Amino acid sequence: MKTDNELAGQRALVTGGGRGIGRAIALALSEAGARVAVAARTADQVDDTLQMLRAGGAEAIGLEIDVADSGSVTTAMEQLAKQWGGVDILVNNAGVLGPIGRTDQIEADQWLQTVQTNLGGCFLCTHACLPGMIDQGAGKIINLSGGGASSARPLFSAYAASKAAIV
């Protein structure tokens, strides 16, 4: 993999890195020279992204994580700390669309779970990474939002509310 080494020596964590935008971010970070930890709920997706990163010569590790679950986040961050000593760049990308339909017709638990994943996941991962960044005197946290934060999404209220809250 050709690298410009702009991020050489940096340790990056990308949540939701198993596919889509997260995978593209992980690949771009590795191309810039960063070591990349790919985190996602689905082991197969993590493995697929790891294979792509390693095929290009990147140093990468995979973490199976549910960002909505504090225990899962803690376990993953402990594993990352053991392997790399911490994180320099956190990309909070993991998210779900959630229930589709009128707010009065969807399941309340599904709505709340969407907010917990999208917004709570950003909080839990930031909460876990920020102390190390403060101790080392540097770090970057990138929170991804989406169209739900800036335009009407009448049948996607949980997604829109969680993404607006991230902003």
Side-chain angles (χ1 to χ4, degrees):
M1 173 174 290
K2 184 180 171 240
T3 174
D4 63 15
N5 290 320
E6 180 181 348
L7 298 177
Q10 297 289 297
R11 303 157 298 176
L13 168 60
V14 181
T15 69
R19 62 187 175 98
I21 293 169
R23 178 179 283 168
I25 291 169
L27 292 168
L29 287 166
S30 71
E31 287 174 9
R35 293 182 279 173
V36 180
V38 176
R41 288 183 299 178
T42 307
D44 289 344
Q45 292 178 357
V46 170
D47 292 341
D48 289 347
T49 302
L50 280 178
Q51 287 178 19
M52 291 176 188
L53 290 165
R54 290 177 178 158
E59 183 179 347
I61 60 172
L63 301 167
E64 195 171 333
I65 184 175
D66 178 355
V67 297
D69 179 85
S70 62
S72 179
V73 171
T74 298
T75 299
M77 296 308 166
E78 287 171 353
Q79 180 183 348
L80 188 54
K82 283 180 188 174
Q83 291 189 274
W84 285 352
V87 174
D88 301 298
I89 302 165
L90 168 62
V91 180
N92 282 313
N93 171 69
V96 296
L97 187 57
I100 301 169
R102 285 187 4 202
T103 301
D104 63 324
Q105 295 177 343
I106 58 174
E107 293 294 324
D109 288 344
Q110 291 177 352
W111 195 97
L112 292 168
Q113 184 59 42
T114 300
V115 173
Q116 176 61 23
T117 299
N118 295 352
L119 178 60
C122 277
F123 169 76
L124 290 172
C125 292
T126 298
H127 186 262
C129 291
L130 191 56
M133 291 178 175
I134 291 170
D135 288 346
Q136 66 194 20
K140 301 285 184 198
I141 299 173
I142 302 162
N143 296 322
L144 274 70
S145 184
S150 60
S151 59
R153 296 287 190 264
L155 299 179
F156 300 89
S157 64
Y159 177 81
S162 63
K163 293 301 185 172
I166 290 168
V167 172

